């Protein structure tokens, strides 16, 4: 089998292609980087008014850029919020695979709120229950409702590109779930009572997976999981935490891929969020 050759900068052509898809190749001034080809969802990197960082890979939380445009001074990167205790997993069958399958069946047959009346099918999530990372979105959209999987269509393709740029994929080391398992009518935000009935399923998924790191995508998911009404701009760039089975799990907040398609210049900030997630989502951190 032929092996993939790396360039003079040690970066493979495949990874450079993913970075180009995110529109960050020129921003980071990578050796040998060419101007990215124009694409409908990408803004030219040169138009993004940000200072060039020292390196595209951050080795610690303290060195990850997280300057919000509305503030004149840098924001502290690590800001712990009061930890929320997730319920310990209920008594499970001896076989963990059976326990996971039982939870899937429970979600599939759920009629706990009115959203069950308008759904095509529930969206449990995709990936392995042994995944290292957990990604949390808000609720299924029209295509997710039809296909039974989270983050499909254009936003799903962008998310896959984002994950591939940091050597992650939903097929291997990432599990993707939503706060709400059924599509709200017209893709509206879920109502408080719908969240109250459905979010315990997500809590059980988190307890079961016990991930190294949780990446939360979008305002609604971030506010729900962190139990806050803070704006997403103030939640980004900080490491939050949840307590899962007595262990602190770091939580990083970023923008929803659908928002990035509407506001491509914000992909630069999403790249920063991915670097922050990498810096804290490793064993031992």
């Amino acid at each position: 089998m032929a092996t993939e050759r790396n360039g003079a900068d040690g970066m493979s052509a495949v990874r450079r292609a993913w970075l180009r898809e995110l529109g960050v190749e020129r921003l980071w001034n990578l050796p040998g980087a060419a101007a990215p080809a124009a694409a409908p969802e990408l803004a030219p990197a040169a138009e993004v008014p940000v200072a060039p960082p020292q390196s595209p890979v951050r080795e610690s939380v303290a060195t990850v850029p997280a300057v919000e445009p509305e503030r004149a001074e840098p924001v502290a990167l690590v800001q712990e919020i009061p930890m929320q205790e997730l319920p310990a997993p209920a008594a499970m069958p001896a076989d963990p695979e059976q326990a996971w399958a039982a939870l899937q069946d429970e979600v599939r047959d759920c009629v706990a709120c009115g959203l069950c009346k308008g759904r095509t099918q529930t969206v449990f999530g995709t990936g392995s229950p042994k995944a290292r990372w957990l990604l949390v979105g808000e609720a299924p959209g029209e295509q997710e409702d039809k296909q039974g999987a989270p983050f499909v269509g254009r936003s799903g393709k962008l998310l896959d590109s984002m994950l591939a740029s940091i050597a992650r994929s939903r097929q291997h080391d990432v599990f993707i779930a939503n706060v709400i398992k059924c599509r709200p009518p017209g893709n509206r935000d879920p109502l408080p009572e719908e969240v109250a009935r459905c979010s315990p399923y997500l809590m059980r998924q988190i307890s079961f997976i016990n991930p190294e790191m949780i990446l939360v995508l979008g305002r609604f998911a971030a506010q729900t999981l962190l139990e806050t009404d803070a704006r997403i701009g103030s939640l980004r760039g900080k490491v939050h935490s949840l307590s899962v089975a007595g262990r602190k799990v770091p939580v990083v907040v970023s923008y929803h891929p659908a928002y990035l398609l509407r506001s491509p210049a914000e992909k630069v900030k999403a790249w920063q969020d991915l670097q922050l997630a990498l810096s804290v989502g490793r064993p031992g951190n």
Side-chain angles (χ1 to χ4, degrees):
M1 178 182 298
T3 57
E4 183 180 13
R5 294 180 178 274
N6 292 339
D9 58 347
M11 180 173 295
S12 71
V14 172
R15 180 168 182 191
R16 186 180 296 281
W18 288 126
L19 293 175
R20 187 177 297 113
E21 168 67 18
L22 286 174
V24 298
E25 185 183 31
R26 288 183 60 198
L27 174 72
W28 293 113
N29 295 321
L30 299 175
E41 72 272 19
L42 296 179
E47 297 179 7
V48 181
V50 298
Q54 297 299 315
S55 169
V57 178
R58 302 301 179 185
E59 293 302 325
S60 66
V61 174
T63 58
V64 179
V67 179
E68 298 181 25
E70 66 269 21
R71 296 178 63 106
E73 300 180 355
V75 193
L77 289 179
V78 178
Q79 174 179 314
E80 292 207 0
I81 62 171
M83 290 187 300
Q84 306 163 52
E85 278 291 342
L86 298 183
M92 297 184 295
D95 184 352
E97 292 184 3
Q98 292 181 0
W100 185 250
L103 180 56
Q104 287 180 295
D105 291 342
E106 189 175 343
V107 170
R108 183 195 60 216
D109 300 331
C110 179
V111 291
C113 75
L115 292 180
C116 66
K117 299 178 181 179
R119 74 186 181 214
T120 301
Q121 57 190 314
T122 58
V123 179
F124 180 79
T126 58
S128 168
K130 299 178 182 179
R132 297 168 56 196
W133 283 22
L134 175 66
L135 271 60
V136 179
E138 45 192 51
E142 181 180 6
Q143 292 304 314
E144 287 82 1
D145 175 69
K146 290 179 179 179
Q147 299 184 35
F151 290 97
V152 299
R154 293 180 66 223
S155 63
K157 290 179 180 178
L158 177 57
L159 178 58
D160 288 342
S161 296
M162 294 166 63
L163 292 174
S165 73
I166 56 171
R168 297 285 189 274
S169 76
R170 69 171 82 198
Q171 290 79 19
H172 298 98
D173 40 16
V174 170
F175 188 88
I176 305 176
N178 286 319
V179 174
I180 300 296
K181 309 305 185 187
C182 297
R183 180 196 179 197
N187 294 342
R188 63 162 170 76
D189 282 351
L191 302 176
E193 57 267 27
E194 294 165 350
V195 174
R197 296 294 182 89
C198 197
S199 59
Y201 289 130
L202 173 64
M203 300 303 146
R204 288 166 62 185
Q205 287 176 311
I206 295 174
S207 295
F208 195 104
I209 296 171
N210 197 16
E212 294 174 9
M213 200 280 306
I214 300 175
L215 178 63
V216 185
L217 303 174
R219 173 188 60 83
F220 175 81
Q223 291 178 342
T224 299
L225 197 63
L226 299 177
E227 296 184 351
T228 179
D229 59 0
R231 298 175 59 185
I232 192 169
S234 65
L235 296 174
R236 285 187 55 257
K238 306 176 181 71
V239 180
H240 308 273
S241 64
L242 291 177
S243 180
V244 181
R247 183 177 69 86
K248 292 172 61 177
V249 177
V251 178
V252 173
V253 174
S254 189
Y255 294 114
H256 194 285
Y259 170 77
L260 296 177
L261 290 173
R262 299 191 301 269
S263 306
E266 303 285 38
K267 289 181 180 180
V268 175
K269 296 178 182 178
W271 171 254
Q272 295 172 352
D273 299 334
L274 291 176
Q275 294 305 303
L276 177 58
L278 276 177
S279 71
V280 299
R282 300 188 178 106
N285 285 358

